[in-house]
mmCIF file of all heavy atoms in Angstrom:
data_model
loop_
_atom_site.group_PDB
_atom_site.id
_atom_site.type_symbol
_atom_site.label_atom_id
_atom_site.label_comp_id
_atom_site.label_asym_id
_atom_site.label_seq_id
_atom_site.Cartn_x
_atom_site.Cartn_y
_atom_site.Cartn_z
ATOM 1 N N LEU K 204 96.751 117.547 105.240
ATOM 2 C CA LEU K 204 97.797 118.526 104.943
ATOM 3 C C LEU K 204 99.115 118.067 105.562
ATOM 4 O O LEU K 204 99.520 118.565 106.622
ATOM 5 C CB LEU K 204 97.422 119.892 105.515
ATOM 6 C CG LEU K 204 96.507 120.809 104.717
ATOM 7 C CD1 LEU K 204 96.206 122.070 105.526
ATOM 8 C CD2 LEU K 204 97.133 121.180 103.386
ATOM 9 N N PRO K 205 99.792 117.092 104.971
ATOM 10 C CA PRO K 205 101.099 116.713 105.504
ATOM 11 C C PRO K 205 102.091 117.861 105.329
ATOM 12 O O PRO K 205 102.208 118.433 104.246
ATOM 13 C CB PRO K 205 101.490 115.496 104.661
ATOM 14 C CG PRO K 205 100.675 115.611 103.414
ATOM 15 C CD PRO K 205 99.412 116.299 103.782
ATOM 16 N N CYS K 206 102.810 118.196 106.390
ATOM 17 C CA CYS K 206 103.793 119.281 106.395
ATOM 18 C C CYS K 206 105.179 118.687 106.646
ATOM 19 O O CYS K 206 105.331 117.817 107.498
ATOM 20 C CB CYS K 206 103.464 120.303 107.478
ATOM 21 S SG CYS K 206 101.840 121.092 107.298
ATOM 22 N N VAL K 207 106.178 119.195 105.937
ATOM 23 C CA VAL K 207 107.490 118.561 105.976
ATOM 24 C C VAL K 207 108.265 118.848 107.262
ATOM 25 O O VAL K 207 109.338 118.274 107.466
ATOM 26 C CB VAL K 207 108.343 118.966 104.756
ATOM 27 C CG1 VAL K 207 107.727 118.423 103.479
ATOM 28 C CG2 VAL K 207 108.514 120.479 104.682
ATOM 29 N N SER K 208 107.745 119.716 108.124
ATOM 30 C CA SER K 208 108.408 119.990 109.405
ATOM 31 C C SER K 208 107.404 120.623 110.347
ATOM 32 O O SER K 208 106.337 121.100 109.926
ATOM 33 C CB SER K 208 109.603 120.931 109.209
ATOM 34 O OG SER K 208 109.169 122.197 108.720
ATOM 35 N N ALA K 209 107.752 120.654 111.620
ATOM 36 C CA ALA K 209 106.893 121.319 112.596
ATOM 37 C C ALA K 209 106.844 122.816 112.335
ATOM 38 O O ALA K 209 105.826 123.466 112.578
ATOM 39 C CB ALA K 209 107.400 121.035 114.001
ATOM 40 N N ALA K 210 107.952 123.378 111.832
ATOM 41 C CA ALA K 210 107.959 124.797 111.483
ATOM 42 C C ALA K 210 106.966 125.081 110.363
ATOM 43 O O ALA K 210 106.326 126.138 110.355
ATOM 44 C CB ALA K 210 109.370 125.221 111.061
ATOM 45 N N THR K 211 106.816 124.165 109.449
ATOM 46 C CA THR K 211 105.838 124.313 108.375
ATOM 47 C C THR K 211 104.429 124.145 108.927
ATOM 48 O O THR K 211 103.506 124.894 108.574
ATOM 49 C CB THR K 211 106.111 123.281 107.275
ATOM 50 O OG1 THR K 211 107.487 123.359 106.888
ATOM 51 C CG2 THR K 211 105.256 123.535 106.057
ATOM 52 N N ARG K 212 104.232 123.183 109.820
ATOM 53 C CA ARG K 212 102.920 122.950 110.429
ATOM 54 C C ARG K 212 102.458 124.154 111.255
ATOM 55 O O ARG K 212 101.252 124.416 111.353
ATOM 56 C CB ARG K 212 102.996 121.710 111.338
ATOM 57 C CG ARG K 212 101.799 121.478 112.256
ATOM 58 C CD ARG K 212 100.542 121.205 111.472
ATOM 59 N NE ARG K 212 99.359 121.050 112.319
ATOM 60 C CZ ARG K 212 98.564 122.050 112.733
ATOM 61 N NH1 ARG K 212 98.866 123.305 112.422
ATOM 62 N NH2 ARG K 212 97.491 121.801 113.448
ATOM 63 N N ALA K 213 103.393 124.917 111.807
ATOM 64 C CA ALA K 213 103.049 126.022 112.691
ATOM 65 C C ALA K 213 102.286 127.138 111.983
ATOM 66 O O ALA K 213 101.708 128.005 112.647
ATOM 67 C CB ALA K 213 104.322 126.588 113.322
ATOM 68 N N GLN K 214 102.268 127.129 110.645
ATOM 69 C CA GLN K 214 101.518 128.142 109.902
ATOM 70 C C GLN K 214 100.010 127.945 110.012
ATOM 71 O O GLN K 214 99.250 128.856 109.715
ATOM 72 C CB GLN K 214 101.869 128.077 108.412
ATOM 73 C CG GLN K 214 103.331 128.263 108.093
ATOM 74 C CD GLN K 214 103.586 128.005 106.624
ATOM 75 O OE1 GLN K 214 103.853 128.929 105.870
ATOM 76 N NE2 GLN K 214 103.496 126.764 106.199
ATOM 77 N N PHE K 215 99.582 126.756 110.435
ATOM 78 C CA PHE K 215 98.170 126.398 110.408
ATOM 79 C C PHE K 215 97.583 126.401 111.811
ATOM 80 O O PHE K 215 98.299 126.317 112.813
ATOM 81 C CB PHE K 215 98.002 125.025 109.747
ATOM 82 C CG PHE K 215 98.451 125.004 108.313
ATOM 83 C CD1 PHE K 215 99.728 124.580 107.974
ATOM 84 C CD2 PHE K 215 97.603 125.433 107.306
ATOM 85 C CE1 PHE K 215 100.147 124.581 106.662
ATOM 86 C CE2 PHE K 215 98.014 125.439 105.994
ATOM 87 C CZ PHE K 215 99.291 125.015 105.658
ATOM 88 N N GLY K 216 96.262 126.477 111.864
ATOM 89 C CA GLY K 216 95.572 126.490 113.137
ATOM 90 C C GLY K 216 95.314 125.099 113.674
ATOM 91 O O GLY K 216 95.490 124.090 112.977
ATOM 92 N N ALA K 217 94.856 125.061 114.912
ATOM 93 C CA ALA K 217 94.612 123.778 115.571
ATOM 94 C C ALA K 217 93.531 122.973 114.867
ATOM 95 O O ALA K 217 93.553 121.741 114.874
ATOM 96 C CB ALA K 217 94.228 124.021 117.030
ATOM 97 N N GLY K 218 92.578 123.635 114.236
ATOM 98 C CA GLY K 218 91.500 122.908 113.583
ATOM 99 C C GLY K 218 91.781 122.494 112.157
ATOM 100 O O GLY K 218 90.959 121.811 111.532
ATOM 101 N N ASP K 219 92.930 122.889 111.607
ATOM 102 C CA ASP K 219 93.269 122.529 110.228
ATOM 103 C C ASP K 219 93.758 121.082 110.161
ATOM 104 O O ASP K 219 94.331 120.561 111.125
ATOM 105 C CB ASP K 219 94.353 123.462 109.690
ATOM 106 C CG ASP K 219 93.873 124.900 109.561
ATOM 107 O OD1 ASP K 219 92.659 125.095 109.395
ATOM 108 O OD2 ASP K 219 94.707 125.817 109.629
ATOM 109 N N PRO K 220 93.549 120.414 109.013
ATOM 110 C CA PRO K 220 93.964 118.998 108.892
ATOM 111 C C PRO K 220 95.460 118.841 108.617
ATOM 112 O O PRO K 220 95.872 118.027 107.799
ATOM 113 C CB PRO K 220 93.125 118.513 107.709
ATOM 114 C CG PRO K 220 92.978 119.714 106.845
ATOM 115 C CD PRO K 220 92.869 120.888 107.792
ATOM 116 N N ALA K 221 96.286 119.622 109.310
ATOM 117 C CA ALA K 221 97.728 119.631 109.076
ATOM 118 C C ALA K 221 98.446 118.800 110.131
ATOM 119 O O ALA K 221 98.063 118.787 111.300
ATOM 120 C CB ALA K 221 98.253 121.065 109.088
ATOM 121 N N PHE K 222 99.485 118.114 109.708
ATOM 122 C CA PHE K 222 100.296 117.312 110.621
ATOM 123 C C PHE K 222 101.696 117.201 110.022
ATOM 124 O O PHE K 222 101.918 117.500 108.840
ATOM 125 C CB PHE K 222 99.695 115.914 110.808
ATOM 126 C CG PHE K 222 99.637 115.092 109.551
ATOM 127 C CD1 PHE K 222 100.609 114.139 109.280
ATOM 128 C CD2 PHE K 222 98.618 115.281 108.616
ATOM 129 C CE1 PHE K 222 100.571 113.388 108.109
ATOM 130 C CE2 PHE K 222 98.568 114.538 107.458
ATOM 131 C CZ PHE K 222 99.544 113.588 107.198
ATOM 132 N N VAL K 223 102.652 116.792 110.827
ATOM 133 C CA VAL K 223 104.042 116.703 110.384
ATOM 134 C C VAL K 223 104.297 115.342 109.748
ATOM 135 O O VAL K 223 104.018 114.295 110.340
ATOM 136 C CB VAL K 223 105.014 116.927 111.558
ATOM 137 C CG1 VAL K 223 106.464 116.743 111.095
ATOM 138 C CG2 VAL K 223 104.818 118.321 112.153
ATOM 139 N N LEU K 224 104.824 115.368 108.530
ATOM 140 C CA LEU K 224 105.283 114.163 107.835
ATOM 141 C C LEU K 224 106.656 114.501 107.265
ATOM 142 O O LEU K 224 106.768 115.107 106.206
ATOM 143 C CB LEU K 224 104.312 113.769 106.719
ATOM 144 C CG LEU K 224 104.716 112.558 105.873
ATOM 145 C CD1 LEU K 224 104.859 111.314 106.740
ATOM 146 C CD2 LEU K 224 103.709 112.311 104.763
ATOM 147 N N TYR K 225 107.686 114.142 108.020
ATOM 148 C CA TYR K 225 109.041 114.514 107.616
ATOM 149 C C TYR K 225 109.424 113.853 106.296
ATOM 150 O O TYR K 225 109.094 112.694 106.046
ATOM 151 C CB TYR K 225 110.049 114.106 108.684
ATOM 152 C CG TYR K 225 110.044 114.967 109.917
ATOM 153 C CD1 TYR K 225 109.703 114.423 111.155
ATOM 154 C CD2 TYR K 225 110.385 116.310 109.854
ATOM 155 C CE1 TYR K 225 109.715 115.215 112.307
ATOM 156 C CE2 TYR K 225 110.386 117.096 111.000
ATOM 157 C CZ TYR K 225 110.048 116.549 112.211
ATOM 158 O OH TYR K 225 110.043 117.327 113.339
ATOM 159 N N ASP K 226 110.136 114.613 105.470
ATOM 160 C CA ASP K 226 110.716 114.023 104.273
ATOM 161 C C ASP K 226 111.754 112.981 104.663
ATOM 162 O O ASP K 226 112.360 113.055 105.746
ATOM 163 C CB ASP K 226 111.385 115.095 103.410
ATOM 164 C CG ASP K 226 110.415 115.759 102.455
ATOM 165 O OD1 ASP K 226 109.298 115.234 102.284
ATOM 166 O OD2 ASP K 226 110.770 116.799 101.871
ATOM 167 N N GLY K 227 111.980 112.033 103.764
ATOM 168 C CA GLY K 227 113.042 111.050 103.957
ATOM 169 C C GLY K 227 114.148 111.276 102.950
ATOM 170 O O GLY K 227 114.026 112.079 102.022
ATOM 171 N N LEU K 228 115.226 110.572 103.126
ATOM 172 C CA LEU K 228 116.354 110.681 102.195
ATOM 173 C C LEU K 228 115.950 110.123 100.833
ATOM 174 O O LEU K 228 115.621 108.945 100.706
ATOM 175 C CB LEU K 228 117.552 109.910 102.736
ATOM 176 C CG LEU K 228 118.339 110.614 103.837
ATOM 177 C CD1 LEU K 228 119.241 109.612 104.553
ATOM 178 C CD2 LEU K 228 119.158 111.743 103.242
ATOM 179 N N ALA K 229 115.968 110.977 99.833
ATOM 180 C CA ALA K 229 115.549 110.548 98.503
ATOM 181 C C ALA K 229 116.635 109.747 97.798
ATOM 182 O O ALA K 229 116.348 108.880 96.976
ATOM 183 C CB ALA K 229 115.177 111.767 97.655
ATOM 184 N N VAL K 230 117.885 110.047 98.104
ATOM 185 C CA VAL K 230 119.005 109.373 97.437
ATOM 186 C C VAL K 230 120.013 108.933 98.483
ATOM 187 O O VAL K 230 120.133 109.533 99.555
ATOM 188 C CB VAL K 230 119.698 110.293 96.413
ATOM 189 C CG1 VAL K 230 118.738 110.650 95.288
ATOM 190 C CG2 VAL K 230 120.220 111.557 97.068
ATOM 191 N N GLU K 231 120.736 107.897 98.168
ATOM 192 C CA GLU K 231 121.826 107.443 99.023
ATOM 193 C C GLU K 231 123.044 108.315 98.732
ATOM 194 O O GLU K 231 123.493 108.402 97.588
ATOM 195 C CB GLU K 231 122.161 105.982 98.741
ATOM 196 C CG GLU K 231 123.288 105.418 99.574
ATOM 197 C CD GLU K 231 122.945 105.345 101.064
ATOM 198 O OE1 GLU K 231 121.740 105.287 101.397
ATOM 199 O OE2 GLU K 231 123.889 105.343 101.885
ATOM 200 N N PRO K 232 123.580 109.022 99.736
ATOM 201 C CA PRO K 232 124.725 109.902 99.482
ATOM 202 C C PRO K 232 125.911 109.138 98.909
ATOM 203 O O PRO K 232 126.188 108.000 99.292
ATOM 204 C CB PRO K 232 125.052 110.449 100.878
ATOM 205 C CG PRO K 232 123.790 110.311 101.650
ATOM 206 C CD PRO K 232 123.131 109.069 101.130
ATOM 207 N N GLU K 233 126.574 109.796 97.970
ATOM 208 C CA GLU K 233 127.766 109.188 97.376
ATOM 209 C C GLU K 233 128.894 109.132 98.401
ATOM 210 O O GLU K 233 128.995 109.981 99.283
ATOM 211 C CB GLU K 233 128.243 110.017 96.179
ATOM 212 C CG GLU K 233 127.315 109.981 94.989
ATOM 213 C CD GLU K 233 127.907 110.734 93.820
ATOM 214 O OE1 GLU K 233 127.695 111.944 93.746
ATOM 215 O OE2 GLU K 233 128.588 110.104 92.990
ATOM 216 N N ARG K 234 129.714 108.139 98.241
ATOM 217 C CA ARG K 234 130.889 108.020 99.105
ATOM 218 C C ARG K 234 132.130 108.220 98.239
ATOM 219 O O ARG K 234 132.653 107.286 97.639
ATOM 220 C CB ARG K 234 130.901 106.658 99.798
ATOM 221 C CG ARG K 234 129.709 106.446 100.728
ATOM 222 C CD ARG K 234 129.849 105.182 101.545
ATOM 223 N NE ARG K 234 128.725 104.988 102.440
ATOM 224 C CZ ARG K 234 128.604 105.560 103.637
ATOM 225 N NH1 ARG K 234 129.556 106.364 104.061
ATOM 226 N NH2 ARG K 234 127.547 105.335 104.397
ATOM 227 N N LEU K 235 132.568 109.464 98.173
ATOM 228 C CA LEU K 235 133.736 109.827 97.381
ATOM 229 C C LEU K 235 134.855 110.296 98.297
ATOM 230 O O LEU K 235 134.604 110.882 99.350
ATOM 231 C CB LEU K 235 133.393 110.946 96.403
ATOM 232 C CG LEU K 235 132.317 110.657 95.354
ATOM 233 C CD1 LEU K 235 131.992 111.932 94.588
ATOM 234 C CD2 LEU K 235 132.788 109.584 94.394
ATOM 235 N N GLY K 236 136.078 110.062 97.878
ATOM 236 C CA GLY K 236 137.206 110.604 98.618
ATOM 237 C C GLY K 236 137.334 112.094 98.373
ATOM 238 O O GLY K 236 137.007 112.588 97.293
#
């Protein structure tokens, strides 16, 4: 059960197969003036 944050992981109990797997940047931010 990968969870996108510790706040998301906190919904589960100690015995659940949940752990934190942070999302990464999906896109490179544009550099506009």
Side-chain angles (χ1 to χ4, degrees):
L204 276 176
C206 300
V207 294
S208 63
T211 308
R212 169 64 183 88
Q214 302 173 109
F215 297 96
D219 294 334
F222 63 99
V223 176
L224 177 60
Y225 286 117
D226 273 347
L228 282 164
V230 296
E231 180 66 24
E233 292 184 273
R234 297 188 179 277
L235 299 173

